[in-house]
Amino acid sequence: STKLELTNIEKVFKTKTGDVKALSNIFLSVEPGEFLAVVGPSGCGKSTIMRIIAGLDKPTNGTVEINDKPLKKIADGAAVVFQKDVLLAWRSVLDNVLFPLELKGITWLDRKNKQTNRSKALELLESVGLKGFEDKYPHELSGGMKQRVSICRALIQDPKLLLMDEPFGALDALTREQMMYDLLKLSDKYGFTTVFITHSIEEAVFLSDKVVVMSERPGTILKELPIALQRP
Ligand code: ADP
Ligand code: ADP
């Protein structure tokens, strides 16, 4: 898994009406296998941090290091889950989970690979309670189920770093609770490093080894919370 270090990150967006300082003074370090939650009010720059870690956006100042090396264009071994992840409507659940492997050019002509990947996808689906759903299509699934499929689609890539931006934000309370247990299980099983963005202090405390709290704009880190509660 991955070690992550953000040093003195600043992000300024240039807009028609002037500069928007979204982040300033961000220092973060995440050890291999650690589960970090970033909590803060809406608009404080959480998504911006995540996009910067994923390599989808560049900081105005400061550095991002992954395993002690400067981040290249896209974070190596990183997979991302967003709040409302889009599944491909014309593909079955199984083929949605397999999609990132196809993008990477792991070809379906390779029969051995195909079998292995298929079994891995089925195993992941089973581990989030979607056994038997592999041939369904996205429109046949509930919001929670779709979100589980997108988590499987991230995990099939064997990520060393899992980045999640409000992944349970659109779910009802019961589903969210179940998903939190599922995610803990997966995180213990696979041992990836996780950065989990949320505005829910409850999710943060439940899931993570370390919580950082952000202030309102311009987003900066207010404090690191000690985790007093034990994981279940
Ligand atoms: P959060 O995820 O915590 O809700 P964001 O990272 O989405 O916050 O946004 C942080 C701040 O940066 C907000 O004030 C937002 O309006 C601004 N912002 C984000 N993206 C852009 C952009 N592409 N252009 C201009 N301003 C942006
Ligand atoms: P289509 O383009 O018609 O959606 P593909 O040619 O991509 O289908 O794939 C054919 C079948 O091979 C799919 O039904 C899928 O289950 C399987 N498949 C595709 N890619 C992979 C992969 N990387 N690993 C395992 N099975 C795959």
Side-chain angles (χ1 to χ4, degrees):
S1 61
T2 296
K3 178 181 163 194
L4 177 68
E5 183 103 37
L6 272 62
T7 309
N8 208 3
I9 298 288
E10 181 186 59
K11 179 70 184 179
V12 179
F13 290 104
K14 306 255 175 225
T15 71
K16 278 177 208 147
T17 51
D19 288 359
V20 178
K21 191 180 239 184
L23 295 173
S24 80
N25 238 349
I26 301 287
F27 291 83
L28 266 186
S29 60
V30 194
E31 295 302 315
E34 206 169 36
F35 196 122
L36 171 81
V38 180
V39 198
S42 134
C44 74
K46 302 185 294 298
S47 301
T48 306
I49 291 190
M50 209 195 68
R51 295 177 51 79
I52 287 174
I53 295 172
L56 299 170
D57 205 348
K58 278 203 159 48
T60 311
N61 282 300
T63 55
V64 180
E65 285 186 324
I66 292 202
N67 295 330
D68 300 317
K69 289 192 209 86
L71 174 63
K72 285 174 274 168
K73 225 170 168 229
I74 297 278
D76 255 351
V80 188
V81 177
F82 294 100
Q83 174 172 358
K84 281 206 180 143
D85 248 327
V86 184
L87 299 177
L88 301 172
W90 60 91
R91 285 191 158 224
S92 68
V93 163
L94 181 68
D95 287 348
N96 266 286
V97 175
L98 290 170
F99 188 61
L101 300 181
E102 291 174 36
L103 282 186
K104 283 187 183 155
I106 297 172
T107 164
W108 54 268
L109 286 172
D110 180 344
R111 284 180 183 278
K112 187 160 157 273
N113 241 332
K114 184 166 168 171
Q115 257 332 98
T116 317
N117 292 337
R118 209 186 129 84
S119 323
K120 204 167 121 195
L122 290 173
E123 185 190 313
L124 281 170
L125 286 169
E126 183 169 356
S127 71
V128 296
L130 288 179
K131 189 182 162 81
F133 284 82
E134 57 272 12
D135 295 327
K136 301 256 186 246
Y137 282 82
H139 74 269
E140 300 175 276
L141 306 180
S142 71
M145 288 171 169
K146 283 187 231 182
Q147 203 58 354
R148 279 159 212 238
V149 174
S150 39
I151 291 173
C152 294
R153 181 176 60 183
L155 294 183
I156 194 114
Q157 307 167 63
D158 269 332
K160 306 286 178 275
L161 176 62
L162 183 64
L163 305 172
M164 306 181 99
D165 191 358
E166 298 270 3
F168 310 146
L171 305 177
D172 65 83
L174 273 178
T175 310
R176 201 163 59 110
E177 184 148 325
Q178 183 58 52
M179 299 280 292
M180 288 202 279
Y181 278 101
D182 287 345
L183 180 58
L184 268 192
K185 230 171 42 192
L186 292 165
S187 152
D188 286 344
K189 179 167 175 193
Y190 294 101
F192 39 76
T193 306
T194 310
V195 178
F196 185 93
I197 306 277
T198 180
H199 61 252
S200 156
I201 193 87
E202 181 204 349
E203 281 179 13
V205 168
F206 182 87
L207 288 166
S208 49
D209 303 310
K210 192 155 92 186
V211 180
V212 296
V213 182
M214 292 183 62
S215 68
E216 305 218 29
R217 279 210 286 150
T220 190
I221 289 169
L222 279 182
K223 58 184 163 197
E224 209 170 284
L225 284 187
I227 299 287
L229 302 176
Q230 292 291 316
R231 282 190 178 188

